Amino acid sequence: MKNLLTIEELTDKEILRLLDSAELLKRQRGRDGKPLEGQTWAMIFTKSSTRTRVSFEVGIRELGGSPMFLSKNDIQLGRGEPIIDTARVLGRMVHGAVIRTYAQQDIVDFAEYSGIPTINALTDDEHPCQILADLLTIREKLGRWEGKKIAWVGDGFSNMTISWMWAAKKLGFDFAVACPPDYAPTAGFLQKLNAPNISVTPDAAEAVEGAHVINTDVWLSMGQEDHPEKEAAFGPYQVNAELLEVAAPGHIVLHCLPAYRGKEITEEVLEAHAGNIFQQAENRLHAQKAVLAALASVARG
């Protein structure tokens, strides 16, 4: 692995190795090695964040490296410099890059032109770091995903859903998506995915029935807040107590946060599953440390 750009590009063995490493790093926190010692990693964020920024800054430091946070206003990207030129400059100065932005192609181009390990910390197309943290949480809480059903309720073609569908394709668990028809995965994407273990339905209860994990996210992703007509379509896709009545016994609810209580999830359900949800948030740190550690030798050259 030279970069982490998408879940799509990972093999099942790479995903499992990263999760094994994350579990070990979590157990050994404070006693782990310093694979990033002497390295400086740029964190280029054109989208704001809480969990992503904090978890990467702490993770880089705990592994012995130095994080350098760069918002779009700190560098010439904010004034229109092409990403490939920024990549060529930073590739000669830092050892790796963590990028949180809009266009997936920007991250792809940065990795190509910089020549340094590049981590996708979120784009409009995928959110691989979050899915690794979620898988780690499921393994901790349920022991395994084999023979389990994971449901997604909300936007059927968001960065989270796309990454989840690729994870299901790679790892083989049943994954059911409930979403409004206008926000379903495209036929072309599903054909490319070619995964019979993934289903899509407009019926939230059908997706959640017998599910061991129920996942959701905000209805309006960052940058889409000015589309109230989209939010109106998601009324029947709230994760609430009534919907969860059809889930499997002992189910867990996950939310990648931030959550808008009373919209995609009720206050009651979020608080009932807060232990899982905030463990999920913590696991961003451990999953990302595993990715950083895996790329440390590449960064060192």
Side-chain angles (χ1 to χ4, degrees):
M1 188 174 77
K2 295 182 179 179
N3 304 288
L4 176 61
L5 305 182
T6 64
I7 294 293
E8 177 185 0
E9 293 174 348
L10 292 177
T11 66
D12 58 342
K13 291 182 175 59
E14 286 174 325
I15 294 173
L16 295 175
R17 279 198 297 268
L18 288 171
L19 295 177
D20 289 343
S21 175
E23 286 185 334
L24 180 62
L25 287 165
K26 186 173 183 177
R27 288 196 304 270
Q28 294 182 343
R29 188 177 182 189
R31 296 180 286 113
D32 38 43
K34 304 294 180 186
L36 300 188
E37 188 170 7
Q39 295 185 12
T40 299
W41 280 65
M43 296 174 52
I44 305 169
F45 282 40
T46 61
K47 283 189 174 185
S48 60
S49 74
T50 299
R51 283 150 293 278
T52 302
R53 177 175 177 176
V54 173
S55 56
F56 266 113
E57 285 204 23
V58 172
I60 291 168
R61 287 195 175 96
E62 289 190 356
L63 294 177
S66 298
M68 177 187 295
F69 182 80
L70 301 168
S71 74
K72 65 179 180 180
N73 296 322
D74 295 323
I75 54 179
Q76 296 299 323
L77 279 176
R79 296 179 60 192
E81 180 176 61
I83 189 73
I84 62 175
D85 290 352
T86 299
R88 288 177 171 121
V89 171
L90 292 182
R92 295 166 184 261
M93 297 181 182
V94 301
H95 299 87
V98 176
I99 304 179
R100 180 179 171 93
T101 190
Y102 294 88
Q104 179 73 23
Q105 191 61 44
D106 284 348
I107 291 184
V108 173
D109 289 344
F110 186 96
E112 178 182 352
Y113 284 88
S114 70
I116 58 176
T118 303
I119 298 173
N120 178 354
L122 177 143
T123 65
D124 288 345
D125 287 4
E126 276 220 38
H127 198 355
C129 292
Q130 183 67 59
I131 268 56
L132 291 172
D134 295 357
L135 289 169
L136 177 61
T137 307
I138 292 169
R139 197 151 80 169
E140 289 175 335
K141 298 306 249 182
L142 301 180
R144 51 184 292 175
W145 45 73
E146 293 84 359
K148 307 293 186 186
K149 179 183 179 182
I150 298 175
W152 178 272
V153 182
D155 191 336
F157 206 40
S158 67
N159 52 10
M160 282 292 294
T161 327
I162 291 170
S163 291
W164 262 115
M165 286 189 282
W166 281 115
K169 163 82 171 181
K170 305 289 181 176
L171 299 176
F173 53 78
D174 290 335
F175 188 70
V177 179
C179 60
D182 289 344
Y183 298 95
T186 65
F189 176 81
L190 292 174
Q191 184 176 11
K192 176 184 177 182
L193 194 67
N194 189 26
N197 55 313
I198 296 172
S199 60
V200 181
T201 176
D203 186 338
E206 179 183 341
V208 171
E209 186 174 8
H212 303 85
V213 181
I214 298 86
N215 230 318
T216 191
D217 190 12
V218 295
W219 292 334
L220 299 180
S221 298
M222 192 176 298
Q224 298 179 344
E225 291 86 353
D226 58 345
H227 295 286
E229 72 284 355
K230 178 178 179 180
E231 184 173 89
F234 284 89
Y237 299 90
Q238 183 186 74
V239 176
N240 53 40
E242 181 181 0
L243 180 63
L244 295 177
E245 287 177 359
V246 299
H251 64 267
I252 63 173
V253 173
L254 298 180
H255 192 308
C256 63
L257 302 177
Y260 292 92
R261 302 163 190 237
K263 291 188 176 182
E264 75 276 0
I265 190 169
T266 63
E267 174 94 15
E268 175 191 10
V269 169
L270 190 146
E271 288 301 328
H273 294 268
N276 301 326
I277 291 169
F278 289 96
Q279 181 171 330
Q280 174 190 7
E282 178 197 338
N283 280 340
R284 288 290 301 278
L285 170 64
H286 310 299
Q288 288 161 191
K289 284 174 69 176
V291 174
L292 290 162
L295 295 175
S297 60
V298 181
R300 200 171 296 281

